[in-house]
Amino acid sequence: MFRLKRRVIQLIIMVISVILLIGLLFWLDVLIPILIGIAIISPLVVGWQILFDQVQPQGKLAWLLTVFFIPFIGVLAWVMFGRTPRRHRRFKRTSSEIRMLRQAIESEKIETSPDIVSSYPLTRTLEKLGASSADGHTSTKLLVNGEEKFDALLDAINHATGHIHIQYYLFRTDDISLKVRDALIQKSNENVIVRFLYDGLGSQEIGEEFIQPLRESRVHVQAFDPVLHPYLVFNANFRNHQKLIVVDGRIALTGGLNVGDEYLGKNDQLGFWRDTHLRLEGPLVRELQQLFVENWLYAGQGTSDETWDLFADEEHLSQYFVNEPKGQNGATQLLVTSPGKDVTIRDGLMRLLMDAKKSIWLTTPYLIPPPELLAILEVAGRSGIDVRIVVPGKGDEWFSFHATEYYFEQLLKRNIKIYKYNRHFIHAKTLLIDGKVALVGSANFDFRSMFLNHEMMIAQFDTTSIQELHEAFLKDFEESILIDWTMLRKKTTGKRFVEAFCHIFSPLL
């Protein structure tokens, strides 16, 4: 998610630019007709594009209102934030490399066994919806909060012998970030191959001063969709929000935590940071390895000489795609969503939610659900299913926080319990259904994660970490405030107005 501060600064710059332009045009009377023409024509052109965009109707309506009622600012905002993935052509230039990679590793792909399908029929359904095949021999361990995650991350890095693939949406330059960076440098100096991939917008504070020591130590570094300048961003959508590290093709870590001191509770405004990550070993790591390599090939198109064969030809295939089954451990699957028509996570969520019989427990920092997901939750609540949602007690983004609170009254009417985390901020993206099926990953319960970002989730059926997640939920409930009607009735008119205003633009968040 984009930081509110960055958005505000971008909008301020656009407003100032428009004011200066208007002043110039009034000074030059001859250009006033041009201004009027642009104010008329540009919204029409952009509006025409919006009408044919493959986005939710709510998103179209919000953009159309913005573009037509605030012509200059609305058009600029749409160019920066609103364009759809069908104009994101860089994927097409990488398609041949990715196709060759997939063909080369076809023999290493997981095959869902009949026993798994028999025990967990939903795995086959998720596979049809775009998820990977299900594996029954991948070990899983839940990592709760920053201390556990970073200990596991540094331990995996320090024990690497062959390669380290690391990818984050947000990577800062603070104490923990420098500690991770220096650990990568140390391993590279020990002749371990290190590839470091970061999102060009989410990690924009990373500068050459931070990157140069990595390059000097022969660490391969690439930015996913780099931006020219943080205040002139014309590819703000379609960000890679995934968090992933693969070590030696055997160990993988993924989940909700990026790399920064705030994830250790060192943010003065947010305080304690509640989050969830996952450590995996076994065959499913091959699927995560493929995801990283595809992202790497995409990011390096035109700037890197690393091609698919460096990962998957006869010499390197067994090095990067390791087949080491662990003990029987339920079933695990990978769900990945990319910008455009790929809505595997949204569809998988819908199917899992519809299958709930007893309970649906959800944690999300941003509760801004698309209508279809909201409807399923409401039906479940009214049907007597125990639906509980944990959201932050304090938000990291003003718009998203108030848009989230807009839904409280609607959800309470459907017998859904809302918990506000009382230790301030919860960033975990987790789902537990009937105490037996779980999702842990990077996707928030909002429009952006379902339709615009690159996201990933791990689906689990009766794994050892299911019980760990169950216990984490119980603790979160204890440390949260249960919202009731008395609290909602105390809302001021001003707060209700703010929530309603933010809700109108929620499809754009």
Side-chain angles (χ1 to χ4, degrees):
M1 298 288 291
F2 305 117
R3 300 291 178 188
L4 175 62
K5 180 179 178 182
R6 188 184 308 130
R7 286 183 174 179
V8 170
I9 293 175
Q10 288 172 338
L11 288 175
I12 290 174
I13 288 176
M14 287 190 291
V15 170
I16 293 175
S17 300
V18 171
I19 292 173
L20 291 175
L21 178 61
I22 292 174
L24 176 63
L25 292 176
F26 271 106
W27 181 52
L28 301 172
D29 292 342
V30 68
L31 294 180
I32 290 179
I34 297 177
L35 175 63
I36 296 173
I38 293 174
I40 295 174
I41 295 174
S42 60
L44 292 175
V45 172
V46 171
W48 179 263
Q49 296 286 341
I50 293 172
L51 284 175
F52 292 96
D53 280 348
Q54 298 296 317
V55 298
Q56 292 280 314
Q58 295 88 347
K60 287 185 181 182
L61 180 59
W63 277 119
L64 287 172
L65 290 173
T66 303
V67 166
F68 280 105
F69 283 95
I70 322 174
F72 291 105
I73 297 176
V75 168
L76 285 172
W78 179 83
V79 170
M80 296 175 71
F81 301 111
R83 292 174 297 163
T84 58
R86 62 191 176 89
R87 279 173 289 282
H88 198 46
R89 303 186 186 281
R90 194 174 182 186
F91 284 107
K92 297 179 181 179
R93 300 200 299 268
T94 323
S95 59
S96 61
E97 282 287 311
I98 292 177
R99 185 169 60 251
M100 294 292 289
L101 173 74
R102 292 176 178 176
Q103 291 174 356
I105 65 176
E106 188 64 31
S107 61
E108 301 299 316
K109 298 289 288 182
I110 296 172
E111 294 291 338
T112 305
S113 70
D115 290 342
I116 287 181
V117 176
S118 176
S119 300
Y120 313 107
L122 277 177
T123 58
R124 181 66 76 192
T125 304
L126 293 180
E127 192 174 344
K128 291 179 179 179
L129 293 173
S132 72
S133 300
D135 175 66
H137 296 276
T138 295
S139 69
T140 59
K141 176 175 175 53
L142 204 70
L143 304 173
V144 179
N145 299 332
E147 291 82 0
E148 291 188 11
K149 180 269 173 102
F150 289 115
D151 285 348
L153 174 64
L154 291 168
D155 180 72
I157 291 174
N158 292 333
H159 286 88
T161 58
H163 66 270
I164 299 169
H165 290 164
I166 185 167
Q167 168 191 337
Y168 278 98
Y169 169 70
L170 187 150
F171 205 104
R172 297 204 182 277
T173 58
D174 49 26
D175 290 344
I176 188 61
S177 305
L178 290 172
K179 189 173 183 178
V180 173
R181 184 200 66 173
D182 293 345
L184 296 174
I185 290 173
Q186 177 64 34
K187 298 309 294 187
S188 183
N189 291 335
E190 296 173 7
N191 295 318
V192 173
I193 299 172
V194 180
R195 294 182 175 91
F196 180 82
L197 179 63
Y198 63 95
D199 184 79
L201 184 62
S203 300
Q204 62 183 263
E205 76 175 57
I206 291 181
E208 194 59 31
E209 183 180 353
F210 182 89
I211 293 175
Q212 188 59 31
L214 291 166
R215 298 192 193 279
E216 290 175 352
S217 300
R218 296 175 291 112
V219 174
H220 304 272
V221 181
Q222 290 187 156
F224 192 100
D225 276 355
V227 298
L228 295 176
H229 191 278
Y231 301 146
L232 295 174
V233 182
F234 297 102
N235 57 345
N237 279 337
F238 334 125
R239 304 318 309 179
N240 196 317
H241 194 240
Q242 298 160 357
K243 298 90 173 160
L244 175 63
I245 178 170
V246 180
V247 175
D248 296 336
R250 292 178 169 85
I251 299 172
L253 281 78
T254 186
L257 290 97
N258 292 291
V259 178
D261 282 347
E262 65 262 44
Y263 296 89
L264 289 167
K266 296 181 179 180
N267 183 292
D268 292 336
Q269 291 183 325
L270 295 175
F272 180 78
W273 188 290
R274 169 72 182 89
D275 219 324
T276 302
H277 225 65
L278 194 66
R279 184 184 187 275
L280 304 102
E281 285 188 75
L284 195 72
V285 175
R286 286 177 290 172
E287 301 290 337
L288 297 170
Q289 182 79 285
Q290 178 183 340
L291 175 61
F292 176 89
V293 174
E294 290 186 6
N295 287 335
W296 184 262
L297 293 174
Y298 165 80
Q301 184 68 21
T303 61
S304 172
D305 57 0
E306 293 198 314
T307 54
W308 71 269
D309 51 302
L310 290 179
F311 304 93
D313 62 8
E314 291 185 4
E315 178 183 354
H316 298 97
L317 185 63
S318 60
Q319 174 185 349
Y320 288 102
F321 295 90
V322 179
N323 186 6
E324 289 186 357
K326 302 299 177 180
Q328 181 65 41
N329 183 35
T332 53
Q333 277 179 288
L334 172 64
L335 287 75
V336 177
T337 287
S338 300
K341 298 181 180 179
D342 182 356
V343 288
T344 299
I345 292 178
R346 192 281 307 263
D347 290 351
L349 267 171
M350 291 176 65
R351 187 62 186 85
L352 293 175
L353 291 172
M354 288 189 292
D355 198 65
K357 303 294 190 300
K358 298 179 180 179
S359 63
I360 297 172
W361 294 356
L362 170 71
T363 60
T364 179
Y366 315 110
L367 180 65
I368 309 172
E372 58 272 27
L373 287 172
L374 180 62
I376 294 174
L377 289 177
E378 291 178 346
V379 170
R382 294 184 66 184
S383 300
I385 293 174
D386 177 21
V387 183
R388 308 186 192 185
I389 303 175
V390 184
V391 297
K394 179 184 289 187
D396 66 334
E397 293 202 10
W398 187 86
F399 254 98
S400 298
F401 181 75
H402 290 291
T404 290
E405 297 206 335
Y406 174 85
Y407 290 95
F408 288 180
E409 183 172 341
Q410 182 176 351
L411 293 171
L412 257 63
K413 288 179 179 178
R414 273 71 176 182
N415 302 320
I416 295 173
K417 298 182 178 70
I418 306 295
Y419 293 81
K420 290 189 70 172
Y421 193 63
N422 202 29
R423 295 184 71 182
H424 298 318
F425 192 60
I426 187 166
H427 189 254
K429 304 95 165 46
T430 59
L431 174 69
L432 183 62
I433 297 176
D434 295 340
K436 297 180 179 180
V437 181
L439 284 177
V440 177
S442 68
N444 299 308
F445 209 73
D446 63 4
F447 284 83
R448 178 162 295 280
S449 286
M450 297 300 116
F451 302 109
L452 293 176
N453 285 343
H454 299 264
E455 303 281 6
M456 59 185 298
M457 299 292 283
I458 303 295
Q460 302 174 71
F461 300 82
D462 283 337
T463 64
T464 53
S465 58
I466 293 283
Q467 182 59 37
E468 297 170 340
L469 185 60
H470 183 269
E471 293 171 359
F473 265 106
L474 292 178
K475 187 175 181 181
D476 290 338
F477 296 149
E478 290 177 359
E479 295 178 339
S480 300
I481 298 173
L482 180 62
I483 301 300
D484 59 26
W485 286 108
T486 302
M487 298 177 187
L488 295 185
R489 292 189 188 101
K490 292 180 179 178
K491 284 186 181 181
T492 64
T493 303
K495 180 167 176 53
R496 290 181 181 276
F497 172 80
V498 169
E499 291 176 3
F501 176 79
C502 293
H503 174 255
I504 292 174
F505 295 96
S506 60
L508 311 182
L509 298 177

